[in-house]
Amino acid sequence: MYNWALETKTKAYYQDEESLSFTDLSSRLTSKKKEEETEWLSEVSAVTLQQSLRNLNQAFTNFFEGRAEYPSFKSKKGDQTARYVGTAFDIREENGKRKLRLSKMPGLINIRWSRELPSEPSSCTVTKNAAGQYHVCFVCTEEVRRLPRVNGEGGDLEFVGVDLGIESLAVLSTGEKVENPRWFENEYKRLRREQQKLSRKEKKGPDGPSNNWERQRQRVAKVHQRIQDRRKDFIEKLTTRLAHDFDVI
């Protein structure tokens, strides 16, 4: 939907010298649902389709205001997202468990909750990454509380300087060295082995990528995702520790 809207908007500008607004694209979307080749668009929630158009509209706003490059087409190999707002989703109880309902999706979806929601969510975004894993992110209202001073309200402020490096991930002004875990090097042998298997698979089948190739591609993507997750987890734990141990960074 995002790519179709971007192509439609770009062609209208350069070929017809016409600037299409969000309302114009939304109107064309309604017509597109009635076309035989794309009538399957009616099978998914209209809210998610509208949100794709809003995302593109925001991308153009960022471009015209100098905050981003001209919007580019999205790849199927990257993260796939769908955003639900309003009545297109809600959280329900079933057999003592909280589950997620998404518009036009059959049944309720099991969620492995990472934390309690601080308030009723106003929207949720479902993401499928390249490794085939699904995550859901909720937008909630939460009161952000200031951390207390390390030495109490009347005490001196604790300062720390952080120098980012390569051999060591960071060196603190206290003299502490934070070693670089080198997650990529730790997973290199496994990644190389899975990539070699992928290169030996037949990529093209009669109807596109072969099933064997696609399954192996996901195995490679899972190794990359594991490296990315471990890096992110390590950095977030480090920054959280610095924020609690010092008043000024």
Side-chain angles (χ1 to χ4, degrees), residues 161-214:
V162 183
D163 182 30
L164 302 180
I166 298 176
E167 289 300 320
S168 296
L169 183 65
V171 179
L172 308 186
S173 57
T174 59
E176 178 187 352
K177 282 188 177 182
V178 180
E179 295 303 323
N180 191 337
R182 301 189 182 281
W183 301 122
F184 180 82
E185 285 82 350
N186 294 341
E187 296 284 344
Y188 177 72
K189 287 185 179 179
R190 181 183 176 191
L191 178 61
R192 183 182 178 185
R193 183 171 63 250
E194 297 296 349
Q195 286 179 328
Q196 286 174 340
K197 290 181 182 178
L198 179 63
S199 66
R200 290 194 291 266
K201 301 288 184 185
E202 186 67 32
K203 183 174 182 179
K204 288 294 182 181
D207 301 316
S210 68
N211 292 333
N212 287 337
W213 184 89
E214 180 59 28

Side-chain angles (χ1 to χ4, degrees), residues 3 73 82 105 217:
N3 289 348
F73 292 106
M105 289 283 287
R217 183 200 66 77

Side-chain angles (χ1 to χ4, degrees), residues 127-139:
T127 303
K128 178 186 178 183
N129 62 24
Q133 301 166 333
Y134 288 88
H135 297 85
V136 58
C137 176
F138 295 94
V139 174

Side-chain angles (χ1 to χ4, degrees), residues 118 141-149 153 243-244:
T141 301
E142 182 177 16
E143 180 183 351
V144 179
R145 299 176 182 177
R146 290 181 63 89
L147 291 174
R149 284 192 180 185
E153 289 303 318
H244 282 81

Side-chain angles (χ1 to χ4, degrees), residues 87-104:
T87 59
F89 82 101
D90 58 49
I91 300 170
R92 298 183 181 181
E93 291 277 342
E94 184 180 73
N95 299 327
K97 295 183 179 179
R98 291 183 306 155
K99 298 185 178 182
L100 178 65
R101 179 198 66 85
L102 298 176
S103 176
K104 291 200 174 182

Side-chain angles (χ1 to χ4, degrees), residues 15-41:
Q15 294 181 3
D16 306 325
E17 297 184 353
E18 180 184 6
S19 181
L20 297 181
S21 65
F22 167 80
T23 305
D24 296 328
L25 288 171
S26 184
S27 177
R28 295 195 181 195
L29 168 60
T30 302
S31 301
K32 199 163 186 64
K33 289 181 180 180
K34 300 175 182 178
E35 297 175 11
E36 185 176 352
E37 290 184 358
T38 50
E39 60 183 3
W40 50 267
L41 286 170

Side-chain angles (χ1 to χ4, degrees), residues 7 17 31 39 58 72 74 78 84 86 94 104 110 114 126 167 185 189 191 202 204-205 216 221 225-226 228:
E7 180 183 24
E17 297 184 353
S31 301
E39 60 183 3
Q58 184 60 50
S72 58
K74 294 182 180 293
Y84 296 79
E94 184 180 73
K104 291 200 174 182
N110 288 313
S114 62
V126 180
E167 289 300 320
E185 285 82 350
K189 287 185 179 179
L191 178 61
E202 186 67 32
K204 288 294 182 181
Q216 186 59 36
Q225 190 65 43
R226 175 179 165 84
Q228 180 181 329

